[in-house]
């Protein structure tokens, strides 16, 4: 199994630009999670999906952030417009069922100048 | 508000030492407690605990859960420089069918030669 796949691995963009992060969960996993990690705030849950349906988006910082999961094997996290304070590592994780261990992707390091 | 608190926040030891990392939690609906290790990349799963008093072991690492006192410890014996990492504790939210994990802020362990 290839594990959770994320792209791109690194993204450098300028303030105001749209950023799209991509994730392919482990095949057969029902849950998909998007996290953001910074030194100051640690690992924060942004949103998660169960069977492609968004369940809890209370961690999404503001309307500039949106996430979709059009099918069981693909999800996107979009930031529009991006701001320097969005600079962080964004992780995608998936799990087989509720409460089980989550498997993390390698992350996308986002830098907004 | 649900929270997970880890201590200490950072720790420096020498190779061969034994370390104990602590994780306490206040979560309305507890399902499970998980430990992850994060080096300069994505968190990797170590243990999942659901029952009190049952020690889980993997090589030099072991962990135990106390659901009465609401805490868990992670022990690492005969530490090696390769154990240097951030260790994350997370509690699985048992509300409904959520797959949500609530993460602590992590303990940064540095093992010196």
């Amino acid at each position: 199994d290839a594990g959770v796949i994320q792209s791109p691995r690194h993204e450098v963009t300028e303030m105001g630009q749209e950023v799209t992060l991509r994730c392919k969960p482990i095949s057969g996993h029902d849950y998909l999670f998007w996290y953001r990690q910074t030194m100051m705030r640690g690992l924060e849950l942004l949103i998660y999906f169960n069977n492609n349906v968004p369940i809890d988006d209370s961690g999404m910082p503001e309307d500039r952030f949106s996430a979709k999961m059009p099918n069981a094997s693909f999800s996107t996290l979009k930031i529009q417009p991006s701001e320097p304070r969005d600079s962080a590592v964004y992780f995608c994780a998936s799990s087989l069922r509720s409460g089980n261990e989550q498997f993390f992707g390698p992350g996308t390091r986002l830098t907004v100048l | 508000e649900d929270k997970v608190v880890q201590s200490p926040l950072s720790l420096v030891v020498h190779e061969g030492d034994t370390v104990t990392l602590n994780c306490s939690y206040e979560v309305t609906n507890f399902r499970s407690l998980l430990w992850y290790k994060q080096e300069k990349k994505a968190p990797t799963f170590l243990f999942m605990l659901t029952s009190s008093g049952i020690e889980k072991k993997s090589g030099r690492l072991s962990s135990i859960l106390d659901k009465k006192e609401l805490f868990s410890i992670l022990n690492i014996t005969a530490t090696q420089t390769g154990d240097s990492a951030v260790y994350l504790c997370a509690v699985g939210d048992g509300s409904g069918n959520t797959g949500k994990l609530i993460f602590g802020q992590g303990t940064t362990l540095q093992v010196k030669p």
Side-chain angles (χ1 to χ4, degrees):
Chain A
D1 194 330
V4 176
I5 299 172
Q6 289 187 248
S7 65
R9 296 291 303 275
H10 301 273
E11 176 82 24
V12 180
T13 190
E14 293 190 345
M15 184 172 64
Q17 296 298 306
E18 177 179 297
V19 174
T20 299
L21 312 181
R22 297 172 177 79
C23 175
K24 176 179 167 51
I26 294 172
S27 177
H29 281 193
D30 295 332
Y31 287 85
L32 183 140
F33 305 83
W34 282 102
Y35 290 92
R36 177 172 67 177
Q37 187 174 42
T38 61
M39 288 291 291
M40 290 294 293
R41 300 173 69 91
L43 198 60
E44 302 174 277
L45 176 65
L46 300 177
I47 184 172
Y48 77 94
F49 297 82
N50 180 23
N51 292 321
N52 313 337
V53 176
I55 302 300
D56 185 349
D57 66 353
S58 60
M60 297 285 259
E62 48 198 273
D63 292 346
R64 297 185 296 107
F65 286 69
S66 62
K68 294 182 180 179
M69 192 165 185
N71 57 62
S73 59
F74 184 67
S75 177
T76 60
L77 177 69
K78 188 175 293 188
I79 308 172
Q80 166 64 17
S82 58
E83 297 182 2
R85 60 190 167 124
D86 302 330
S87 297
V89 180
Y90 290 81
F91 288 107
C92 175
S94 69
S95 69
L96 184 58
R97 59 180 65 88
S98 174
N100 275 27
E101 60 266 34
Q102 295 177 14
F103 295 85
F104 284 76
T108 295
R109 182 173 294 277
L110 173 65
T111 303
V112 183
L113 303 174
Chain B
E1 182 183 339
D2 293 340
K3 62 180 179 180
V4 177
V5 178
Q6 294 184 243
S7 64
L9 291 182
S10 65
L11 191 56
V12 180
V13 301
H14 288 92
E15 274 192 317
D17 288 349
T18 294
V19 298
T20 299
L21 310 183
N22 303 292
C23 175
S24 63
Y25 61 90
E26 293 178 22
V27 175
T28 306
N29 289 290
F30 175 92
R31 183 190 299 272
S32 55
L33 187 142
L34 297 87
W35 285 96
Y36 286 84
K37 177 182 181 182
Q38 185 176 22
E39 296 169 270
K40 288 186 168 65
K41 44 189 177 179
T44 53
F45 172 76
L46 294 175
F47 298 111
M48 183 169 75
L49 306 117
T50 56
S51 301
S52 283
I54 299 173
E55 185 182 47
K56 293 227 173 174
K57 292 195 72 167
S58 176
R60 296 176 294 102
L61 276 67
S62 64
S63 183
I64 198 161
L65 172 66
D66 186 328
K67 291 169 71 174
K68 182 179 177 184
E69 300 296 330
L70 309 182
F71 78 92
S72 173
I73 60 172
L74 175 68
N75 279 320
I76 309 174
T77 59
T79 52
Q80 303 170 357
T81 55
D83 296 326
S84 297
V86 176
Y87 290 83
L88 296 165
C89 172
V91 172
D93 184 345
S95 306
N97 200 31
T98 177
K100 188 174 176 178
L101 292 180
I102 303 156
F103 279 86
Q105 69 273 56
T107 293
T108 301
L109 173 65
Q110 182 183 358
V111 181
K112 292 187 172 182

